[in-house]
Amino acid sequence: MPEVILSDYFYGAESEEFIYFKIPRLLITDQKFKHVSTDTKLLYGILLDRMGLSAKNNWYDDYGRVYIYYTVDEICEDMCCGRDKAMKLLAELDKKKGIGLVERVKQGQGRPTKLYVKRFTTRTAPSKPDPPPSDDLIPCSEVEKNHPKKSEKTTSRGRKNHLKRSKKPTLIKLREISLTLTTLIHPSLPSSPPALPWGWTDTN
């Protein structure tokens, strides 16, 4: 069994032993990118890794945007594929033909194409807000306030009931006073209540 050395130095290419390519998780799990091939997702991770090299080389355009140089031949070598396959992978990432994570700008005159690697973002459309309440649906209290005729009708009826109730005690008191005076003036007369005026009714 080989001896385990807990503290050792890095020698030569071992310094890159723990350097990894990073692929955004949503690029793997999101339904929007399920149709994208695995090799294309791996290529995107390689392009992201080369962004650090561009920053070190100060590869910025006039707008401060970072770009990289990564030729088709380099893609063929790193991905162990042919030229046609490399072009197809770039097309899947391309802004015009693919999912829009890479924008290619040709410079001409034998100079390599600039590659702008786009930030990986996915946005979900927000849900529609609830519709506002209809103007036809008005609370009962508001209906009463907005219909003066109904309010006036109710008030008038209340006044009539109030007047009717207020007349009864007055009528009873008048009858009692009249009966008392009759008894005092004519003690011989029976103490029967006087007749009510026409149209009046006894409430007792």
Side-chain angles (χ1 to χ4, degrees):
M1 183 176 181
E3 182 181 358
V4 178
I5 302 176
L6 298 180
S7 59
D8 196 8
Y9 298 98
F10 285 99
Y11 297 93
E14 291 178 353
S15 60
E16 298 182 0
E17 183 177 353
F18 296 101
I19 297 177
Y20 306 98
F21 293 121
K22 297 180 180 180
I23 302 175
R25 183 178 180 180
L26 287 179
L27 193 59
I28 306 296
T29 60
D30 197 285
Q31 291 293 331
K32 180 180 179 180
F33 306 107
K34 288 295 184 181
H35 67 283
V36 180
S37 65
T38 304
D39 287 342
T40 300
K41 296 173 182 179
L42 175 58
L43 177 58
Y44 181 73
I46 296 174
L47 296 177
L48 288 177
D49 181 71
R50 292 181 72 92
M51 292 285 288
L53 180 62
S54 297
K56 291 180 181 179
N57 292 331
N58 200 26
W59 289 345
Y60 302 100
D61 63 9
D62 296 337
Y63 299 97
R65 299 176 300 184
V66 182
Y67 60 87
I68 67 174
Y69 289 119
Y70 196 38
T71 64
V72 176
D73 292 336
E74 290 175 318
I75 295 175
C76 293
E77 182 178 356
D78 293 339
M79 297 290 295
C80 299
C81 64
R83 189 176 183 85
D84 292 341
K85 176 68 176 292
M87 294 295 293
K88 182 180 179 181
L89 297 178
L90 278 176
E92 281 195 80
L93 293 173
D94 190 71
K95 177 181 178 181
K96 297 179 180 179
K97 300 179 181 179
I99 57 178
L101 292 180
V102 172
E103 181 179 352
R104 293 182 284 183
V105 178
K106 295 182 179 181
Q107 300 186 92
Q109 299 179 355
R111 292 184 296 175
T113 301
K114 287 182 179 180
L115 297 181
Y116 288 91
V117 182
K118 299 297 187 67
R119 297 181 60 183
F120 182 86
T121 56
T122 179
R123 295 174 183 170
T124 303
S127 58
K128 295 183 179 180
D130 296 333
S134 175
D135 295 338
D136 297 335
L137 302 178
I138 305 176
C140 295
S141 58
E142 296 294 332
V143 173
E144 293 178 357
K145 292 179 181 179
N146 295 333
H147 291 275
K149 293 183 179 180
K150 184 175 180 180
S151 300
E152 291 176 0
K153 184 176 181 181
T154 304
T155 304
S156 177
R157 184 184 303 154
R159 290 177 180 174
K160 290 180 180 180
N161 293 335
H162 177 71
L163 292 175
K164 187 175 181 180
R165 287 193 300 269
S166 63
K167 287 180 180 179
K168 290 181 181 180
T170 305
L171 175 61
I172 294 172
K173 289 181 180 179
L174 289 175
R175 292 182 60 195
E176 292 176 354
I177 295 172
S178 177
L179 180 61
T180 302
L181 292 176
T182 302
T183 304
L184 292 175
I185 298 173
H186 304 284
S188 59
L189 294 178
S191 58
S192 59
L196 295 174
W198 183 82
W200 290 42
T201 57
D202 189 356
T203 57
N204 293 334

